[in-house]
C-alpha cells in the first residue's frame, strides 16, 4: 500500500508542475491543493486499514485525518494567507506525526525522518512566502515530488526487505 501514497504524491506534484499557467487563480490553487491533500489523507487511511495487528499503529490513521481535515478546510479559505496557514499547519502536523511514527513503527525510521524533515521545511517555506500563493503551491508540488520519489525508491529497496525479513526471523541479515 506504500505505492498508493507514492502514486498520489507523484500525480499531485506533476499536476502542479504542468498547470503553471493556472496558478495565478486562488480558486485553482485551492482546488488542486485540496484534492491532493484529500488523496494523501485517503492513501493514509488505506494504509492504516491494510496494516495487520503487530505493525498497526495509530500514526497512519492520524495522518489520514490531518490530510482530510486540511482538504476540507482549504476550499473555505478566501485569502492567500489562509491558504498558507492551512498548508503550513498540515505540513507541521504531518511532520510531527512522521517523527512520532519513526519512534513507534518498526522499519520506518529513514522514511519517516525524511518525510518529517520535508514537512518542516515545507511549513517554513510556506510561512516565509505566505503572501505568494503561486510559491506556496510550487513548494507543495516540490514536496509532493520529492517525497513521492523518495518513497518510491525506498519501496523497491531490496536491502530494506532483506532487513525486515531478518528481523522477522529473529536475526539480523549480517548474522546469517
Amino acid at each position: 500500500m506504500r505505492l498508493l501514497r507514492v502514486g498520489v504524491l507523484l500525480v499531485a506534484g506533476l499536476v502542479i508542475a504542468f498547470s503553471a499557467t493556472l496558478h495565478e487563480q486562488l480558486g485553482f490553487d485551492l482546488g488542486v491543493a485540496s484534492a491532493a491533500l484529500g488523496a494523501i489523507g485517503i492513501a493514509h487511511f488505506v494504509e492504516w486499514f491494510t496494516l495487520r495487528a503487530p505493525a498497526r499503529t495509530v500514526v497512519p490513521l492520524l495522518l489520514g485525518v490531518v490530510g482530510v481535515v486540511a482538504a476540507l478546510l482549504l476550499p473555505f479559505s478566501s485569502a492567500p494567507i489562509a491558504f498558507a496557514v492551512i498548508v503550513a499547519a498540515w505540513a507541521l502536523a504531518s511532520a510531527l506525526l512522521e517523527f512520532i511514527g519513526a519512534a513507534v513503527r518498526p522499519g520506518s525510521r529513514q522514511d519517516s525522518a525524511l518525510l518529517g524533515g520535508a514537512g518542516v521545511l515545507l511549513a517554513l517555506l510556506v510561512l516565509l512566502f505566505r503572501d505568494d500563493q503561486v510559491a506556496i503551491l510550487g513548494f507543495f508540488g516540490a514536496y509532493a515530488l520529492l517525497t513521492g520519489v523518495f518513497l518510491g525508491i525506498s519501496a523497491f529497496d531490496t536491502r530494506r526487505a532483506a532487513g525486515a525479513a531478518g528481523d522477522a526471523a529473529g536475526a539480523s541479515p549480517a548474522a546469517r
Side-chain angles (χ1 to χ4, degrees):
M1 287 290 94
R2 167 176 281 182
L3 291 178
L4 177 63
R5 184 162 58 153
V6 168
V8 166
L9 287 166
L10 291 177
V11 167
L14 290 173
V15 166
I16 291 168
F18 289 110
S19 61
T21 58
L22 301 172
H23 289 195
E24 291 295 326
Q25 304 166 3
L26 181 60
F28 176 79
D29 293 349
L30 294 174
V32 168
S34 182
L37 289 174
I40 291 168
I42 291 169
H44 284 295
F45 283 139
V46 169
E47 178 186 351
W48 184 74
F49 281 118
T50 58
L51 290 175
R52 297 292 170 231
R56 190 177 220 177
T57 65
V58 73
V59 173
L61 177 65
L62 291 174
L63 283 165
V65 169
V66 168
V68 169
V69 167
L72 292 174
L73 289 176
L74 269 179
F76 297 108
S77 60
S78 59
I81 189 75
F83 177 52
V85 168
I86 292 170
V87 171
W90 168 80
L92 280 176
S94 294
L96 176 64
L97 288 168
E98 289 289 352
F99 286 136
I100 291 170
V104 299
R105 289 192 307 193
S108 67
R109 285 201 180 275
Q110 291 175 338
D111 297 348
S112 295
L114 179 97
L115 293 174
V120 170
L121 180 62
L122 173 63
L124 289 173
L125 288 171
V126 165
L127 291 175
L128 284 173
F129 295 91
R130 63 189 169 274
D131 295 327
D132 187 357
Q133 70 196 30
V134 176
I136 293 167
L137 191 63
F139 292 139
F140 180 68
Y143 165 86
L145 286 173
L146 172 83
T147 57
V149 167
F150 179 80
L151 286 175
I153 291 169
S154 71
F156 293 105
D157 187 9
T158 56
R159 292 175 297 155
R160 178 188 179 105
D167 291 342
S172 68
R176 289 185 185 184

